[in-house]
Amino acid sequence: MPDDLDMLRADIEAAMAGADDLRALDAVRVAALGKSGQVTALLKGLGALAPEERRARGAAVNELKAGIERALENRRVMLEAFALDARLAAERLDVSLPPRPFAPMGPEAGSIHPISRTMEELIALFGAMGFTVAEGPDIEGDWHNFTALNIPEHHPARQDHDTFYLPAQEGGRRPVLRTHTSPVQIRTMLSQEPPIRVIVPGRTWRADHDATHSPMFHQVEGLVIGRDITMGHLKGCLIDFLRAFFGIADLPVRFRSSYFPFTEPSMEVDIGWSRKTGDLGAGGDWLEILGSGMVHPKVLANCGLDPRVWQGFAFGMGIERITMLKHGIPDLRPFYEADLRWLRHYATSPLSPFTLHDAP
């Protein structure tokens, strides 16, 4: 290679070696190979040479260009590795250090939403009774949401003014935003062999909106299926749960006859409270808290279970409702308004010393 090309290559390589970051290296590339670069100017000048001289000179300039491109790529890879090492070193966290000072519920501290906290408590309390958590889709078909649960065609819950339907699919079937978490009970009985003991927390939708109702809200339902399950098992389970959840060892609990299509017999469950003060467990008044009953034989049969062999009970309650009662929250709507002042007041610190498994 001619001496002038050797000198040019040496100058460019020196400039590359002096580039300490990718931006500086790109400047070297532009100066050498850009539209007005040194190597580009040599290539443009080949047209003024004689054919024989042009051939030899062109081969040498192209060889110079290829060598510079390889050197630039090698330097780029090296600088990227250096940059990554420097970033990793700067972002390294020494986990052996003590934690930073933590101000519970401070402006930079995260917290647990009351609904999430209640779900954790429900899972812990029922988990201690041997229940596991079951989940299912939020968008359901008519069969899982209504028919399998023995809900008749004329039931108001099937009407458009009560339920959110999606556009019809093939065959005219309209999916529905589930109106309760009961479809998961059906899916569980279809997919598992008894005995069954599950709770089903999750979101549900109904066309209702005011201070005590929301188009989207949370429910938890429970299902127990086994041999020789009786009303006594249902009552004992719910009484123990309610007294533990509200932390009142002698909380009055009353079972009142009611009607649900999917249970027979069906019962509303009331707890003692004071209408005047709002205190739970005090006064001579009663407050409805949840619905329950023995699983209807038709529901068992719809899921392929012989009602003469298997019996069970089910129950369901609104998670927002029991959260409001436990913490004295008067309005449902702030649960979803993302008001930081409200959250700091009612939310729970993630470092709270209260342990769910130590609930009374």
Side-chain angles (χ1 to χ4, degrees), residues 19-32:
D20 55 2
D21 57 37
L22 293 174
R23 181 176 296 181
L25 182 65
D26 191 62
V28 175
R29 179 192 65 79
V30 172

Side-chain angles (χ1 to χ4, degrees), residues 159-182:
Q159 306 304 313
D160 289 353
H161 59 73
D162 272 1
T163 299
F164 294 109
Y165 284 96
L166 279 66
Q169 297 180 337
E170 294 183 8
R173 300 184 185 89
R174 290 194 300 168
V176 60
L177 290 175
R178 64 183 184 184
T179 59
H180 43 192
T181 57
S182 301

Side-chain angles (χ1 to χ4, degrees), residues 62-321:
N62 283 325
E63 181 183 350
L64 171 65
K65 180 182 178 183
I68 291 173
E69 289 175 340
R70 288 193 298 270
L72 284 168
E73 177 63 19
N74 292 337
R75 183 63 177 171
R76 182 190 66 79
V77 172
M78 185 180 299
L79 289 175
E80 287 181 345
F82 288 158
L84 178 60
D85 290 343
R87 181 180 175 185
L88 292 175
E91 297 178 356
R92 184 174 64 88
L93 177 66
D94 186 353
V95 296
S96 66
L97 293 174
R100 298 172 181 172
F102 182 82
M105 311 309 294
E108 297 182 0
S111 58
I112 300 176
H113 193 280
I115 292 177
S116 299
R117 182 66 169 183
T118 297
M119 284 190 177
E120 291 181 353
E121 293 183 47
L122 292 169
I123 292 170
L125 292 172
F126 283 110
M129 301 182 195
F131 286 77
T132 58
V133 176
E135 296 180 326
D138 292 352
I139 298 176
E140 276 289 3
D142 177 271
W143 191 84
H144 286 95
N145 198 80
F146 296 122
T147 305
L149 290 161
N150 196 38
I151 298 176
E153 292 286 345
H154 60 270
H155 196 281
R158 287 181 178 260
Q159 306 304 313
D160 289 353
H161 59 73
D162 272 1
T163 299
F164 294 109
Y165 284 96
L166 279 66
Q169 297 180 337
E170 294 183 8
R173 300 184 185 89
R174 290 194 300 168
V176 60
L177 290 175
R178 64 183 184 184
T179 59
H180 43 192
T181 57
S182 301
V184 183
Q185 296 186 31
I186 301 298
R187 293 179 177 274
T188 301
M189 286 188 281
L190 289 171
S191 62
Q192 297 182 22
E193 292 289 335
I196 295 171
R197 190 177 296 192
V198 297
I199 59 168
V200 188
R203 293 171 296 186
T204 56
W205 286 265
R206 295 180 191 175
D208 206 353
H209 191 206
D210 55 38
T212 57
H213 297 85
S214 171
M216 187 284 297
F217 58 101
H218 298 78
Q219 272 191 345
V220 61
E221 299 191 10
L223 174 69
V224 173
I225 301 293
R227 298 179 187 271
D228 303 321
I229 297 296
T230 69
M231 189 83 72
H233 297 110
L234 165 61
K235 295 177 70 174
C237 173
L238 292 181
I239 290 172
D240 285 349
F241 160 69
L242 291 171
R243 290 176 174 172
F245 179 77
F246 290 110
I248 303 174
D250 58 349
L251 177 70
V253 180
R254 180 178 72 174
F255 292 81
R256 179 169 39 85
S257 178
S258 185
Y259 167 76
F260 304 111
F262 30 81
T263 52
E264 180 60 37
S266 303
M267 295 172 295
E268 301 278 4
V269 182
D270 305 332
I271 58 175
W273 77 310
S274 171
R275 187 183 302 274
K276 183 177 181 179
T277 65
D279 294 335
L280 298 178
D285 302 310
W286 293 98
L287 180 66
E288 182 271 326
I289 191 73
L290 62 92
S292 65
M294 303 300 291
V295 180
H296 199 291
K298 289 185 178 180
V299 175
L300 294 171
N302 287 338
C303 298
L305 299 178
D306 187 346
R308 296 168 297 182
V309 177
W310 302 104
Q311 298 82 41
F313 65 81
F315 56 86
M317 69 195 85
I319 293 179
E320 284 86 344
R321 176 168 172 75

